[in-house]
Amino acid sequence: MNATTTGTGTGTQIEIRGLHKAFGDLEVLRGIDITVARGEVVCVIGPSGSGKSTLLRCVNLLEEPTSGTVSVAGTEVTDPDVDIDRVRRRIGMVFQSFNLFPHLTVLENLTLAQRRVLRRGKAEAGRVARANLERVGLADKASAYPAQLSGGQQQRVAIARALSMDPELMLFDEPTSALDPELVGDVLAVMRSLAQEGMTMLVVTHEMSFAREVADRVVFMDGGVIVEEGPAARVVGDPQHERTRTFLARVLDPAAAPAPAPGDVAAAPAPAPGDVGKDG
């Protein structure tokens, strides 16, 4: 049997329906439905342990859903017969940690997967890598090693590496959470430029200004469900749900935010194994 091709139109890049994910008795995702259109930027926000990172990892099957379906560009990745490696070639993913090979130069980090997975020749892989280093403002760092770069530079190299695989969409899992505050801006600037170029992006983030300015839609998650979603300006600027308002008040102005109600603390789920050490 061939992997399922769904009936989604060419304008749909990601379609998630009835997604559940449990780690033992802990149900982390409890029936998630999301559609991301081609060229759309969707930011997922929410408290720690809400399932954001697990959701992202289910898109390219780094976490296998308990039930439900996930389709990317019309191909159901949750079909048991899917060629997941083929699908993953269309998806770029940037994690909290940079995951660069410390013993390889920046250029070698960018060309390795191109040569092994895409079977590009050395010259072509190098040309693509240098073009993407230019794209993220690091053309002069091709011969440097990761240890010689700042955290922000390493994250931009990680983005350039993902772009060098010619992805159709990009997944970002808290890409700035491990960075010093002064390094965050450069990474977000690269992401803004990608959005302006029309790259489809699903971004788990705690950067509310980025979500408000760049995202087409914002999804607020809590307790493994979608509490609220809609245009970025409305969800971040004028949330309709009380839980969203409480969360944003704490994030945007922690000093002025009220102390959490006892019910809020009790309702907060424990982090999933895939979310340990993350904000999602």
Side-chain angles (χ1 to χ4, degrees):
M1 183 175 70
N2 294 325
T4 301
T5 300
T6 69
T8 57
T10 56
T12 300
Q13 195 73 44
I14 303 172
E15 185 170 19
I16 300 170
R17 291 288 175 261
L19 186 65
H20 289 254
K21 174 62 181 178
F23 295 96
D25 294 332
L26 178 62
E27 194 172 17
V28 179
L29 300 176
R30 301 187 287 150
I32 300 294
D33 295 312
I34 293 179
T35 300
V36 180
R38 189 178 303 276
E40 189 177 25
V41 178
V42 176
C43 285
V44 184
I45 64 173
S48 179
S50 60
K52 307 186 302 294
S53 293
T54 299
L55 168 65
L56 205 69
R57 293 167 68 87
C58 283
V59 172
N60 61 0
L61 234 58
L62 290 178
E63 295 288 356
E64 188 169 346
T66 304
S67 63
T69 62
V70 178
S71 298
V72 174
T75 298
E76 185 186 329
V77 302
T78 42
D79 187 308
D81 297 304
V82 73
D83 183 348
I84 189 59
D85 290 332
R86 187 166 179 264
V87 176
R88 283 174 178 157
R89 292 174 195 171
R90 307 164 78 172
I91 305 172
M93 186 158 186
V94 178
F95 300 88
Q96 286 184 32
S97 53
F98 320 125
N99 295 331
L100 301 176
F101 292 108
H103 63 292
L104 299 181
T105 66
V106 165
L107 188 66
E108 289 167 341
N109 267 281
L110 266 66
T111 58
L112 182 63
Q114 291 188 68
R115 298 178 67 182
R116 291 190 177 180
V117 178
L118 301 182
R119 303 298 181 187
R120 286 176 176 161
K122 182 177 181 180
E124 182 185 7
R127 177 185 60 77
V128 172
R130 290 181 185 280
N132 282 302
L133 285 174
E134 177 76 32
R135 201 171 174 184
V136 301
L138 292 173
D140 61 334
K141 300 297 183 182
S143 60
Y145 286 87
Q148 297 173 308
L149 306 178
S150 70
Q153 289 172 329
Q154 290 186 60
Q155 191 62 291
R156 283 188 281 157
V157 169
I159 294 173
R161 178 178 59 183
L163 292 173
S164 293
M165 301 298 287
D166 297 332
E168 295 179 17
L169 67 124
M170 292 283 288
L171 308 177
F172 291 89
D173 187 7
E174 296 283 12
T176 61
S177 65
L179 302 179
D180 291 334
E182 67 268 22
L183 303 177
V184 168
D186 289 340
V187 174
L188 294 181
V190 170
M191 295 171 65
R192 284 188 178 92
S193 68
L194 290 178
Q196 291 168 357
E197 293 168 14
M199 175 66 74
T200 307
M201 297 163 60
L202 184 58
V203 183
V204 170
T205 185
H206 61 272
E207 299 289 345
M208 294 303 120
S209 61
F210 175 85
R212 180 164 43 201
E213 296 166 16
V214 180
D216 297 296
R217 280 188 296 130
V218 169
V219 174
F220 172 66
M221 289 182 62
D222 189 29
V225 300
I226 294 174
V227 176
E228 183 171 353
E229 69 173 305
R234 181 182 64 75
V235 174
V236 179
D238 184 25
Q240 305 301 299
H241 197 283
E242 178 60 31
R243 182 65 186 95
T244 315
R245 288 194 292 268
T246 302
F247 169 77
L248 288 171
R250 293 174 188 160
V251 171
L252 297 174
D253 192 1
D264 285 348
V265 175
D275 291 342
V276 172
K278 300 176 180 170
D279 201 27

